[in-house]
Amino acid sequence: MSAPCPDPMELLEWLDGESTLHRSRWLEGHLSGCASCRRELNAQKQLVARLSAPPPPVDERDVQALMARLKDKPLRHPVAWWAPGWRARLATACLAVTGVLCGYAVQEFSPLRTQFAARGGQFVAPLQRYVGVDLLSAGSPPVLLRPGAVLSPSTPLFARFRNLGETPAFLLLFARDAAGELHWLYPAYLTPGEDPRSVELSPSVRDTPMPEAVLLDQPALGPLQVFALVTSEPLRVLDVEALEKSPNLEPLLRARWPEAALTHWTLMLEKAP
């Protein structure tokens, strides 16, 4: 009986040079005699090529329509309370961002578009390879935020994601300001006593924006640590709130969820001149 065909994800790993030498030789032999897997491999190559291509230009009329919708949406004022471990200030879902965001142009590449070039590099956990989250400021046009970006505390933020896997992933996205207070972006953490679960990220080969932009509630000026924690199973907000209070949150998150994909941005909040 012939061996079963490899999983498509294994072909993608092989393309990126992550297979063992023994397994690579087996895959090469299998591909030489399996037309179905050769078609799948060609499809994977085309997918990687699409991920590496720059985004199409955006129609300025779409940007103007989006910004008009953002301005017309009234803000909802969050409530602050003491959560386990820290006082958590809410990040309020305040600006509707739908439809047109799928076509915006950001003249940068998302992390997912470069992870396929990690041939022979440091080991990357599977979720980190197939799921990526970007953080952006809502403006005209939206701006992809990199570590070290300087923002006003009144800058609305939103995220986009791409999930190249075959099953959903789950996102907790939150920030800690210079005073040590937590601000939740996704999911919304609006009512004391509730414990919302992480947001589902459905499989998608396109950059998919979250449906809302978020305005942080009076964050302290200075460094703003933003964390995107992606897991294969849903977590709860209080899972993070219950962690030990520490000036360095990243090691705690990695130790608690070693298989998760964790992205960390350090931004700077300053008053607008």
Side-chain angles (χ1 to χ4, degrees):
M1 180 180 296
S2 60
C5 292
D7 184 273
M9 286 301 176
E10 184 177 7
L11 291 177
L12 190 57
E13 291 176 354
W14 180 69
L15 273 178
D16 199 33
E18 298 297 330
S19 299
T20 65
L21 178 60
H22 174 76
R23 192 61 178 172
S24 293
R25 289 175 176 172
W26 183 89
L27 287 169
E28 290 170 359
H30 179 83
L31 287 165
S32 66
C34 181
S36 176
C37 285
R38 288 198 299 273
R39 288 193 295 270
E40 175 64 31
L41 181 64
N42 288 333
Q44 298 283 12
K45 291 179 178 178
Q46 293 171 13
L47 173 61
V48 172
R50 289 200 301 270
L51 294 177
S52 302
V58 69
D59 191 323
E60 183 62 27
R61 292 171 298 180
D62 290 341
V63 174
Q64 293 174 358
L66 168 62
M67 298 312 299
R69 294 181 65 182
L70 294 180
K71 292 176 182 178
D72 291 341
K73 184 72 175 181
L75 297 178
R76 290 189 282 114
H77 298 285
V79 180
W81 72 90
W82 286 92
W86 292 311
R87 182 185 181 195
R89 283 195 180 272
L90 302 180
T92 305
C94 62
L95 305 172
V97 184
T98 57
V100 66
L101 270 179
C102 295
Y104 66 79
V106 177
Q107 299 305 317
E108 296 281 353
F109 294 137
S110 77
L112 278 170
R113 293 190 177 114
T114 60
Q115 285 182 5
F116 293 101
R119 194 177 304 276
Q122 182 180 359
F123 170 77
V124 181
L127 275 175
Q128 192 77 42
R129 290 174 55 81
Y130 305 127
V131 182
V133 178
D134 293 328
L135 184 67
L136 302 97
S137 62
S140 179
V143 176
L144 179 65
L145 297 178
R146 299 294 192 186
V150 179
L151 303 174
S152 164
S154 60
T155 301
L157 305 174
F158 72 97
R160 69 183 183 189
F161 71 91
R162 183 174 293 190
N163 180 2
L164 301 184
E166 298 179 338
T167 59
F170 299 89
L171 169 68
L172 294 176
L173 199 154
F174 52 96
R176 190 179 69 177
D177 66 19
E181 293 185 351
L182 287 185
H183 302 258
W184 283 91
L185 287 80
Y186 309 107
Y189 189 19
L190 301 176
T191 305
E194 289 189 350
D195 188 16
R197 80 172 203 165
S198 44
V199 176
E200 181 173 317
L201 307 181
S202 300
S204 172
V205 298
R206 298 176 58 89
D207 284 333
T208 303
M210 302 299 287
E212 294 174 320
V214 178
L215 183 64
L216 303 185
D217 178 39
Q218 300 180 3
L221 297 179
L224 182 73
Q225 308 289 328
V226 184
F227 300 91
L229 183 67
V230 178
T231 55
S232 57
E233 299 292 337
L235 300 177
R236 297 282 180 174
V237 163
L238 294 186
D239 292 334
V240 172
E241 293 279 349
L243 292 176
E244 175 187 356
K245 184 175 180 180
S246 168
N248 193 354
L249 184 56
E250 183 173 359
L252 294 179
L253 294 170
R254 293 194 184 279
R256 178 65 180 81
W257 295 285
E259 300 301 321
L262 179 64
T263 306
H264 174 208
W265 300 265
T266 299
L267 311 177
M268 183 62 65
L269 296 184
E270 296 181 358
K271 286 185 178 179

